[in-house]
Amino acid sequence: MILFSLLPVLWAVSVEANFFQFESISNVSTYYFNYFYCNIWEGECQPNQDDATQQVPTGDLWSGFPQDYIGMLTTWYCSLGQCCDSGDCRITNNITGLELDLQQKLHGQHLAQAVVLKAIQGFIDNPESNKPLTLSFHGWSGTGKNFVARIVADNLYRDGVKSECVRLFIAPFHFPHVRLVDVYKGQLREAIRDMVLRCPQTLFIFDEAEKLHPGLIDAIKPYMDHYDNVDGVSYRRAIFLFLSNIGGAAINEVALDFWHSGQNREDIGMEDLEHRLRAEAMEAEGGFAQSELMSGHLIDFFVPFLPLEYRHVKLCARDAYAARGLQASEATLDEVAKAMLYVPKEEKLFSAQGCKSIPQRINFFLP
């Protein structure tokens, strides 16, 4: 029946062909054939079938097409669940959800909550930004850097980190050999270009960024700079996240100083950390600090992640149990938290592993 319902549309295309250039008709036909084949006949589809080049054709293309047939085609297409207000169903840009997730799921990181929300919201609300958004997350392992990257992906994209608009690079995994850095440069440039062509608002996440070769970062510096386009492609709607342990010592020192002086950690402000964080990032060993990304001042926000205390570890344990549909008692949460290693040796104030190992550790406390 669906095939028969499309016959008037196909007939209209042939009748009104003189209103279009041949290439435009070919693009429209290709799109709907691909969609029909993949979703109605359930044929063997190619990856990324729903990429940006496969979005519903709009604009001047339909200027000469009879309005009744446009309405018929639109109604049929939307009945298959492929319409959305944003124009790209892969992108949700749920700022309200982002704010709630940062408030409710991220523990002990008031600075990261505020800075990330401000940066993402400002970028999304400004479609005329003159450069991509570049954020640099800093802090000890287990303090929430990867977790926040996932929260960002989950709220900006329909499919979260699995979205074809999100790409994760792990430095020692994707670029392990220094001797192959020139090969990696070409591969990385090509990957970024292809991703942005398919999805202009692509999220790129570089984990363990301190282990990236400086030449590798410099190779992609133009994509994060103030350019209208690079080789005909605009990267101004892309988002780059760099995650590293650089600056962790400086952040911990500030947090410890506040504790020694009897001040609340929630009173720590960006003015207490940003200058020290920038300085340590510039002086640190490794490619990230030595790259033009730092010297060119292309990082829009340095985001500090504070060391986590006992009370924060308990909250992480509570969330880990809840994720399994379990409700743990206060006594059980205390047992989990006490099993963690805390530093400095004298005060035993900060969890040395943050919350990173909590999901695995609670296995030892399950009945």
Side-chain angles (χ1 to χ4, degrees), residues 88 134 176 242 250 303 315 318:
D88 188 334
T134 304
F242 291 91
V303 185
L315 291 173
R318 181 202 64 186

Side-chain angles (χ1 to χ4, degrees), residues 27 143-144 153 169-170 185 195 232 241 276 292-293 305 310 336:
N27 290 340
T143 52
F169 297 100
I170 303 173
K185 287 180 184 179
M195 288 286 292
L241 302 185
R276 293 184 63 173
E292 294 182 17
L293 189 64
F305 284 74
Y310 182 91
V336 175

